[in-house]
Amino acid sequence: KRLGTEVHRLFNSGRYADALSVAEQQLRLLGESYGHNHHEYATAMNNVATLYQALGRYGEAEPLLEQASKIQQRTLGHDHPHTVASLSNLATVYEAMGQSERAKAMQSLVAQMKRTWEEKQRKRK
């Protein structure tokens, strides 16, 4: 938990390389603690990928976001906000890599997933 707070603090202060170092440490520790198929590990993977994005390392971010979203879909559900966040980040990576069609398709999927989640939440009330 403390490492995650530190990652966000460093990220928010623009210290992306420092944040990446801490995020990679957090990812390693969560993998050792929970295994590589746990949603907490996937969230940490998303954090590392987000930092790769911030540093312009899109080719490294893409596979992490793909893997994180698959784990989150299995463990949290296909329309859970964490899953949607990873896929939204993936759309941003596609756009940055010049893959406009893939980005648009992913953005459309993300919008549909958000609507599905919101409908579920309304039905629960």
Side-chain angles (χ1 to χ4, degrees), residues 9-120:
R9 187 187 68 74
L10 292 167
F11 179 85
N12 290 333
S13 66
R15 296 174 53 194
Y16 302 138
D18 292 335
L20 177 59
S21 177
V22 176
E24 288 173 333
Q25 178 184 5
Q26 181 186 33
L27 180 65
R28 187 175 53 258
L29 291 171
L30 287 170
E32 291 169 3
S33 298
Y34 294 117
H36 295 172
N37 290 307
H38 193 276
H39 65 89
E40 291 291 340
Y41 180 77
T43 298
M45 192 180 300
N46 181 54
N47 291 342
V48 169
T50 299
L51 288 159
Y52 282 156
Q53 280 180 269
L55 294 167
R57 294 165 58 178
Y58 306 115
E60 293 170 88
E62 180 184 14
L64 289 183
L65 291 168
E66 289 171 347
Q67 187 177 354
S69 67
K70 287 176 185 172
I71 294 167
Q72 290 163 330
Q73 285 177 34
R74 274 195 315 271
T75 60
L76 299 172
H78 76 281
D79 57 357
H80 188 277
H82 290 181
T83 305
V84 173
S86 291
L87 293 174
S88 182
N89 290 340
L90 186 56
T92 303
V93 166
Y94 289 155
E95 190 67 43
M97 293 171 71
Q99 299 176 11
S100 302
E101 292 304 314
R102 286 180 86 186
K104 287 178 190 171
M106 187 61 68
Q107 289 163 350
S108 177
L109 177 63
V110 164
Q112 177 58 45
M113 293 166 98
K114 284 181 180 179
R115 284 191 297 274
T116 302
W117 179 262
E118 290 166 1
E119 288 172 18
K120 281 184 183 178

